[in-house]
């Protein structure tokens, strides 16, 4: 967003670009209200309006946060985390998943592998529920794939996204419906 705002003035030096937004009120004397600032300030305001406050620091999956609460012996926090994550999933405007949805999960580099991603497709299941099938992954074939790739594929599940949502975390997921992103978990 910042780059787009800075490029509104062709050939401008980004360090010298400022933004001014003016509201001109009707009536005698033409009263004005203004906001002015730097492009990055406007970009942050726009991002916050669209996606909420930018998060800093490492994000954890709901399951990892619940495990931390469990280690602290904080049953209330553990339940709040798990119930809140479930409510966040089921109250999302795009929920429930539909046949044709595409789900991508991004994994950070860790002790077992480099960073990689998996892409799944939601399909109608044989017994009336939904299935989630692995389409592809970006883990090099030289890695030991056993247990790493495709572990979230499910057959005939009433909620194929729940394991992925809780274990990988919504911050790692991108969900596409009808060619449009409906959930962008890694947006910054």
């Amino acid at each position: 967003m910042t780059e787009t705002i800075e490029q509104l003035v062709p050939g401008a030096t980004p360090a010298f670009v400022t933004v001014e937004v003016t509201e001109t009120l009707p009536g005698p004397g033409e009263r004005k209200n203004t906001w002015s600032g730097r492009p990055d300030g406007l970009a942050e305001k726009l991002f916050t309006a669209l996606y909420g406050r930018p998060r800093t620091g490492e994000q954890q999956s709901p399951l990892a946060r619940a495990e931390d609460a469990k280690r602290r012996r904080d049953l209330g926090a553990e339940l709040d985390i798990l119930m809140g994550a479930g409510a966040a999933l089921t109250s999302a405007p795009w929920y429930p998943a539909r046949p044709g949805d595409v789900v991508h999960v991004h994994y950070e580099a860790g002790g077992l592998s480099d960073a990689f991603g998996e892409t799944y497709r939601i399909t109608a299941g044989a017994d009336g529920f939904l299935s989630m099938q692995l389409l592809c992954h970006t883990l090099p074939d030289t890695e030991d794939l056993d247990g790493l790739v495709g572990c979230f594929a499910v057959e005939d599940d009433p909620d194929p996204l729940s394991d992925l949502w809780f274990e990988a975390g919504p911050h790692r997921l991108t969900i596409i419906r009808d060619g449009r992103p409906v959930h962008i978990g890694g947006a910054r």
Side-chain angles (χ1 to χ4, degrees):
M1 281 189 218
T2 301
E3 288 178 21
T4 301
I5 295 167
E6 291 170 344
Q7 293 170 359
L8 288 172
V9 181
T13 305
F16 300 118
V17 175
T18 59
V19 179
E20 183 173 303
V21 179
T22 304
E23 171 193 38
T24 305
L25 301 170
E30 197 174 275
R31 298 173 299 167
K32 290 184 177 184
N33 294 315
T34 62
W35 176 89
S36 60
R38 306 257 324 124
D40 58 336
L42 177 59
E44 184 176 339
K45 285 183 179 297
L46 291 171
F47 181 93
T48 301
L50 292 171
Y51 305 109
R53 296 272 319 126
R55 293 187 177 147
T56 57
E58 182 182 332
Q59 293 183 338
Q60 291 183 309
S61 71
L63 192 59
R65 290 191 344 248
E67 289 293 327
D68 287 346
K70 185 183 233 177
R71 275 191 288 284
R72 293 190 314 269
R73 298 183 186 272
D74 188 347
L75 180 61
E78 181 181 1
L79 290 173
D80 285 347
I81 290 164
L82 294 174
M83 302 226 1
L89 173 60
T90 58
S91 67
W94 47 264
Y95 183 86
R98 294 185 201 156
D101 286 356
V102 175
V103 181
H104 180 79
V105 60
H106 168 78
Y107 300 100
E108 299 295 333
L112 297 175
S113 71
D114 292 335
F116 74 101
E118 293 178 313
T119 303
Y120 293 89
R121 178 180 63 183
I122 304 290
T123 61
D127 295 323
F129 292 117
L130 296 173
S131 296
M132 190 162 65
Q133 303 165 335
L134 179 68
L135 286 177
C136 61
H137 64 85
T138 59
L139 192 63
D141 289 334
T142 57
E143 302 263 350
D144 178 16
L145 305 179
D146 197 33
L148 281 178
V149 174
C151 63
F152 291 108
V154 295
E155 292 293 325
D156 247 353
D157 190 307
D159 194 353
L161 293 176
S162 67
D163 286 350
L164 193 55
W165 186 268
F166 279 88
E167 292 181 34
H171 62 287
R172 296 188 186 281
L173 303 181
T174 302
I175 300 171
I176 310 292
R177 176 170 292 154
D178 300 328
R180 299 195 180 263
V182 293
H183 175 79
I184 306 173
R188 294 186 183 182

